[in-house]
Structure formats: structure tokens, C-alpha cells
Amino acid sequence: MPAAMAGGAAGGDGGGRSLDCRSFWKAGASEGRSAPVREFHDALETGDFDRARVHPKFLHTNATSHKWAFGAISELLDNAVDEICNGATFIKVDKSTNVKDNSPMLVFQDNGGGMDPEGVRHCMSLGFSTKKSKTTIGQYGNGFKTSTMRLGADAMVFTRAIRESNVTLSIGLLSYTYLRRTMKDDIVVPMLDFEVKDGQIVPLVYGSQGDWDSSLKIILDWSPFSSKEELLQQFEDMDSHGTKVVIYNLWMNDDGLLELDFDDDEEDILLRDQGQNSGASTKIQKEIIQQHISHRLRFSLRAYSSILYLRKFENFQIILRGKPVEQINIANELKFKKVVTYKPQVSHDSQVVSVKVDIGFAKEAPVLGIFGINVYHKNRLIMPFWKVLQEASSRGRSVIGVLEANFIEPAHDKQDFERTPLFIRLEAKLKQIIVDYWKEKCHLIGYQPIDPKLRSQYKAALKDSGGPGAKIRHEASTSQKTGGHLSNLLPQTYDDVAALRLTANRAGSALHSSGQAQEDSMDSAGLEEDLVDIGSQGVLDPNLNEKLSEENLVLFTRREGLRQRDTQLKQTIGELEHELEETKRRCSELAAELQLRRSQQQRYM
């Protein structure tokens, strides 16, 4: 480290050292005093103006690309996933405590290949990336800076690497607090390097010993650690290689509370100001929606990270607060699933790209109207439950899709795509796919068929059916409709109501011959926007009332509870059967032992 970098660091305990403004969206607007004029003269004399300068405020401006804290966290998860090729088997995300001021810290730790001294300097530099592979998620060389600075004002990196039998340990400090409080007009990143020789950790000095000592002083003054020994203790829980990122002085909201909530759930990290409005109309519906992944991912890191990667890892885990995250493949959760092939025209001279779109109804359909397309890029979720169709439309209700769109590039924050012509064509195609699927399948979850011929068969089936269906018709005939059609919902499947089961059998047979033709046409259809009608057709059957909807929600909740109870009972039965087998085995052993003793006793008599 150049000696000039050590200037301005105050001594003493750094426990109270934080920015005056702890709200992320306001921190960049806070003004500090300008650097002393003498500092510019010193820089000019040493030739420091021969290079471009980056003001510390750029760290904050750069981090505003992340509108969402979970988007920043996912960047750090991506870095660990990219290390799978170097042997990484886990990434741990947990809370720790800054012993200087007892404030919480966010810690990420993986057992990937780690970084040597040169690599950690590239990591802490702006816009530098060595990731050129077509399979790695990171590529811009900016994710570490934007993500850490979005989560907190300060971050430290501890990394251990083995390169050609040389074992190195490196420590870097990226501190917005230090830069602003010491009035720096350039980004200064103090770093320390060590190497392991004969089993001993010794300093690795690239410049002068004075530079190394200055960097150590800055880090101890402005980090949660008070001594070199405490710094080296951070490597004790690492394997032979890996990286640990510690983020502290975490940002707060406008109420002075941490954005990240570590207290409400000991096995999760929550976003404090998210997920309040579920959009449900009834208390029961609200309770069910709040448990759905499409709602929970907005505020639960465990829920969001469970669907963050499309393909399940074979030998890698995301361990959140000591408990592994269970990966969920949304496509496997769909019912009446269909695979549609889309061949986008990427460019005139490129080879043909073929994209598979998994589309189907949510397993809760039609009890809940959850819908949207989940778009991944290189295995990473970019847009969760993207509402391609208008939210107020009946068509597409409960339809969920999944696709991996590697033919378009995501925005830098990896939470969206730029609205290029290629993306606009994809959006139009997805609208068409959803509408075509709805026309073909909506009767399977209790909506009127769109086709007039199938609709007449649907009504005839309801008229001819008896038993529970008759009761439904009687209740429906006296019910009051809302806005020309009923606002809520049918049983989850036809197995719940006999009349709907009969309808499915009749309408399903009529659709069998036309369904294949529709599927073939769906694969080869064009991108004409006028084919996408998002009208109010496909409404629920007018002979079903809102009272039935409420009852169905109750039954759905009860059924989920019974399923959980059934699972617990099966587990208990399995444990009892195992215990019974053990008891039988023990009885057999005792019987054999008793018989042996009797034989021996008779022999002596």
C-alpha cells in the first residue's frame, strides 16, 4: 500500500465509527467536508494525478443499481456458485456480532478456491473480471462492490488460497465509512497479505514494511477487529482454501431499524419492510397466500434462495443460519404441465436457438390465483413470477411458467432484462403461450371452456349431473353475482366435486383430438400481438357462488393440515415399526440366551 493511503486515519477504538446517515438511499446525498488543499498538492507532487481518480461517493452511486437487498445478497451467492468448479461445496450465510459496538454483521463464507493476493486485488478493484466462461454467472467484475455496499457501509474480505503449493492469506477492507469520515477524494482499499511457511503464518510484504504497517493500522482502526491476532482468527474455521466476506454497519430504514431482520426467524433473514400486502380478499385466502413461495420470496431469504437456481445442485448447499436451504424446482410443482418449444430469432447469422417453456397451473389452482413466468438466465433466477399478462385479467389465472432464457443478457443487477427488441418479442411470445394454454386447459380447473362447443358440453354435463352437483346448482341459483361473474374460486381438483369430475371427463375427451393440434400450432406460431386477447372471457361458471369459494378455502387449509398430520403419522408409524423390530430382535436374542442357559443347566444336572 502506498504510504499516502494511510493518511487521515484516526487512532483509537473504531467501535463507534459509522456514517452520520445510516439509511442507504440517503447516505449518498450526505455532504462531507472537502479534502484539504494540501492533500491535492501532495498528490500532485507524487504524480498521483497521472491516473484517473474515483471519488468514494461512486461506491454508493454504483450500489444503487440494486433496488432490492436480496438482489445484492444473490450476487454474493453467485460468486460462491461460480466456485463449484474449484471445489466449493457450500456457502454459509449467517449473522455475527461486531464486538466493538455490539451491532449485527452479515457473514458469507464458502470453501471455494479462494483468491491469491493478485486475485483479491482484482476483486476489490472496479470493473475488473477474469470470468470469461459461458457458464459462470458473474461477468462484469462489479458484483462484489455493488452488493456489499448495498447491504452495509463497510465490508471485509478474508481469503485463503493455494497456488502451486504456496499458501497465502489475504485481507481487504472496503470501507465507505473510512473514506467519507477521513474526507478521502479517492477510493483507498487497504490490504494485508500473509503466507504460510513451515507451518507459521508470516507477513507477506510486496511494497515496504511501512506500507504494510499503515494498512494494518487502518484496518484495525476501522474494522470490527482490534488486533492482528483477531484478524487471523477469522481463518481458523476455513478449510485449506475459501473466502469469507464480513459486512458491517448494515443499512437501516427510515425508522432507524435495520433493513435486514435477524430476530423474527432464527433460521431465516427477512426484509423488514416487505411482504405486508398479499392482495388477498379474505382472511383465509390471505393466510394461504402468505405461505406461497411467490409471496414469501419478497421478504424471506430462505424462500428466495430456494428458487434462485433452476437446477438442483448435486454437491453444493446454501446454508442459511445453520440450516441448508431446500431447493425448489417450480416446474415440478405444476399440474397439467405442458412443454412448449420457442425458437427465437436471435440474429440473422446465428445458429437456431431452441427454448423449452414449462407451463402449467399452480398446484393450488384455482383456490389461489397465483400466476407469472419465472425467467432464468444461466441457471440463475432473473425475474420471479413475472406478470406477463394484465393482473386484472381472468385469462391466465393460476398459470405459471418456467424457462431459461440464455439468449438474452440480464441487466447488471440481474433482476431484470433490458427492453431490447429480442426481449419484447419474448414477452409477446409468452403472452401468446399463456393465452393458448388457457384456452386449451382452463376447464381442467373449473373455468368455462373458451371454445363454444366445449362450453355447451360443459353446461350439459352440469345439468345432467346429480348428487353434490344438484346441491351446488341449488345454492348457486340463489347466489348474488359480483360484477357479472363470481370473484372466487372452485375446488382444487375435480375429485372434490362430482359434477366437476363428470365435466372433466366429457370436456377432456372432446379436447383430446383438438389439444394436439393446438400444441403443434403453439410451437410454430408467430409473434403476432393481435393474437393476444386479454379480455374478460373465460370467467368462472355462473352457477358457482362465493359461499362455495370460502368453503373451499377452508377445506384447502384443512387438507394441507391433514397432509402434514398424515406425514407425521407415517413417520411415527415407521419409528414404531423400527422399534418393534428392534424389540423382536432383542426378544429373540434373550430367548436364545435363555435356551442356552437351560441347556447348560441340564447338562450339569
Side-chain angles (χ1 to χ4, degrees):
M1 290 288 299
M5 290 185 177
D13 179 32
R17 301 191 174 198
S18 61
L19 293 171
D20 295 332
C21 180
R22 293 293 305 280
S23 172
F24 174 75
W25 296 108
K26 297 178 181 178
S30 60
E31 294 293 338
R33 291 180 293 138
S34 300
V37 176
R38 181 62 191 169
E39 186 171 325
F40 288 97
H41 290 296
D42 292 343
L44 186 61
E45 291 174 4
T46 58
D48 204 27
F49 282 136
D50 290 342
R51 59 181 175 84
R53 304 172 71 87
V54 182
H55 195 276
K57 275 194 174 183
F58 178 74
L59 287 176
H60 181 273
T61 303
N62 195 35
T64 58
S65 61
H66 288 294
K67 305 297 187 294
W68 192 37
F70 282 179
I73 290 177
S74 63
E75 287 274 6
L76 298 173
L77 297 179
D78 290 343
N79 288 341
V81 170
D82 284 341
E83 284 295 303
I84 292 178
C85 60
N86 293 322
T89 59
F90 66 80
I91 168 72
K92 295 179 181 178
V93 185
D94 212 335
K95 170 195 172 185
S96 185
T97 302
N98 183 341
V99 295
K100 286 185 177 179
D101 59 11
N102 204 36
S103 63
M105 304 189 299
L106 186 60
V107 181
F108 298 80
Q109 181 176 345
D110 67 64
N111 62 340
M115 293 175 281
D116 59 15
E118 181 182 7
V120 74
R121 280 157 177 77
H122 290 161
C123 170
M124 307 292 267
S125 300
L126 292 168
F128 187 95
S129 177
T130 58
K131 296 178 179 179
K132 304 300 181 183
S133 169
K134 294 182 179 180
T135 59
T136 56
I137 302 169
Q139 55 183 310
Y140 299 114
N142 203 30
F144 173 81
K145 279 73 67 174
T146 60
S147 57
T148 54
M149 293 295 97
R150 173 61 185 87
L151 297 169
D154 309 290
M156 293 191 71
V157 176
F158 299 85
T159 184
R160 180 184 180 112
I162 302 176
R163 301 291 188 268
E164 298 179 353
S165 73
N166 295 322
V167 180
T168 59
L169 290 72
S170 297
I171 302 171
L173 172 68
L174 184 63
S175 174
Y176 188 61
T177 302
Y178 159 66
L179 296 171
R180 300 294 286 143
R181 292 287 297 274
T182 57
M183 300 174 292
K184 297 295 182 189
D185 66 340
D186 200 0
I187 295 178
V188 176
V189 184
M191 296 186 187
L192 298 174
D193 300 295
F194 301 85
E195 61 181 338
V196 178
K197 282 189 174 181
D198 300 325
Q200 300 295 319
I201 299 176
V202 297
L204 182 59
V205 180
Y206 284 103
S208 67
Q209 185 63 44
D211 292 339
W212 197 96
D213 294 338
S214 296
S215 295
L216 175 62
K217 185 179 188 306
I218 295 173
I219 290 175
L220 295 182
D221 283 345
W222 295 92
S223 79
F225 309 101
S226 302
S227 67
K228 183 177 72 173
E229 289 71 27
E230 286 186 17
L231 292 174
L232 294 178
Q233 284 177 5
Q234 295 300 306
F235 294 95
E236 291 181 359
D237 60 349
M238 286 189 188
D239 294 329
S240 57
H241 47 77
T243 300
K244 179 187 294 186
V245 178
V246 179
I247 304 172
Y248 57 104
N249 284 331
L250 302 175
W251 296 116
M252 297 179 177
N253 61 15
D254 292 340
D255 297 326
L257 301 174
L258 290 176
E259 279 186 311
L260 300 177
D261 182 358
F262 299 97
D263 300 325
D264 281 357
D265 191 332
E266 294 181 352
E267 297 180 346
D268 203 351
I269 297 175
L270 307 178
L271 282 182
R272 194 177 300 278
D273 299 327
Q274 301 295 322
Q276 300 299 321
N277 182 21
S278 63
S281 57
T282 67
K283 180 179 179 181
I284 298 174
Q285 190 177 21
K286 181 178 180 180
E287 291 175 354
I288 299 175
I289 288 179
Q290 286 178 343
Q291 297 304 314
H292 195 272
I293 188 70
S294 63
H295 178 71
R296 288 190 57 79
L297 65 83
R298 295 188 239 164
F299 61 91
S300 165
L301 182 59
R302 183 168 294 276
Y304 178 61
S305 57
S306 70
I307 63 171
L308 186 58
Y309 301 101
L310 178 60
R311 290 175 288 278
K312 293 186 177 181
F313 300 118
E314 294 182 358
N315 189 32
F316 183 86
Q317 285 185 320
I318 299 173
I319 303 175
L320 178 57
R321 304 199 73 177
K323 181 180 178 181
V325 172
E326 181 181 353
Q327 286 188 270
I328 298 174
N329 188 318
I330 300 174
N332 294 339
E333 302 288 313
L334 304 179
K335 61 183 182 182
F336 308 120
K337 186 173 74 172
K338 181 176 182 179
V339 179
V340 180
T341 301
Y342 168 46
K343 296 181 179 180
Q345 182 62 45
V346 179
S347 63
H348 295 292
D349 56 348
S350 64
Q351 62 184 24
V352 177
V353 176
S354 181
V355 179
K356 300 291 185 181
V357 181
D358 290 298
I359 190 166
F361 289 112
K363 63 181 180 181
E364 297 85 0
V367 174
L368 297 181
I370 303 299
F371 69 100
I373 302 294
N374 296 273
V375 186
Y376 289 78
H377 177 82
K378 292 183 179 179
N379 196 43
R380 159 77 136 76
L381 180 63
I382 305 298
M383 300 176 69
F385 293 93
W386 173 29
K387 292 176 173 54
V388 179
L389 297 183
Q390 297 177 14
E391 193 160 4
S393 173
S394 295
R395 286 190 179 183
R397 181 183 176 88
S398 300
V399 177
I400 293 177
V402 179
L403 76 150
E404 186 174 21
N406 294 339
F407 59 93
I408 50 178
E409 292 296 327
H412 279 216
D413 65 349
K414 299 173 190 167
Q415 299 295 311
D416 201 351
F417 293 97
E418 301 294 340
R419 291 197 62 82
T420 61
L422 190 59
F423 177 78
I424 293 173
R425 291 199 297 271
L426 171 64
E427 182 179 24
K429 181 63 178 180
L430 291 175
K431 287 180 181 179
Q432 176 188 323
I433 290 174
I434 294 172
V435 171
D436 288 348
Y437 178 85
W438 175 261
K439 289 179 180 179
E440 178 186 349
K441 306 281 189 181
C442 68
H443 69 283
L444 296 177
I445 59 170
Y447 285 78
Q448 291 188 42
I450 303 299
D451 185 88
K453 182 178 179 180
L454 294 178
R455 189 181 304 172
S456 62
Q457 293 176 346
Y458 180 87
K459 291 180 178 179
L462 284 177
K463 183 177 180 180
D464 294 342
S465 62
K471 180 181 178 181
I472 293 171
R473 290 196 305 275
H474 174 71
E475 291 180 354
S477 63
T478 58
S479 66
Q480 186 174 3
K481 291 175 252 183
T482 305
H485 64 86
L486 299 176
S487 59
N488 280 312
L489 303 166
L490 295 177
Q492 186 185 24
T493 66
Y494 280 116
D495 293 334
D496 296 322
V497 179
L500 295 180
R501 188 188 307 116
L502 178 60
T503 305
N505 292 337
R506 293 191 178 187
S509 61
L511 273 175
H512 181 73
S513 58
S514 62
Q516 185 61 43
Q518 286 188 357
E519 183 171 350
D520 295 339
S521 64
M522 189 178 296
D523 291 345
S524 59
L527 296 170
E528 303 171 33
E529 294 272 6
D530 59 339
L531 293 178
V532 184
D533 176 20
I534 316 176
S536 60
Q537 298 181 32
V539 298
L540 289 170
D541 190 293
N543 291 326
L544 295 169
N545 60 17
E546 196 158 348
K547 180 180 177 181
L548 180 61
S549 305
E550 191 74 19
E551 292 174 353
N552 286 330
L553 288 171
V554 175
L555 291 173
F556 177 79
T557 306
R558 183 182 175 189
R559 186 183 65 182
E560 291 301 313
L562 290 174
R563 280 181 175 176
Q564 294 180 4
R565 184 181 176 188
D566 181 60
T567 301
Q568 293 174 352
L569 288 174
K570 287 180 179 179
Q571 182 178 355
T572 303
I573 291 172
E575 293 173 353
L576 291 174
E577 288 178 345
H578 178 71
E579 185 177 344
L580 179 61
E581 290 298 322
E582 286 293 315
T583 303
K584 287 181 178 179
R585 183 184 61 80
R586 182 59 179 161
C587 287
S588 298
E589 292 176 353
L590 291 174
E593 185 178 350
L594 179 60
Q595 183 65 31
L596 178 62
R597 291 184 178 182
R598 284 178 177 175
S599 299
Q600 292 175 348
Q601 187 177 10
Q602 290 176 358
R603 188 181 307 163
Y604 290 120
M605 292 178 62

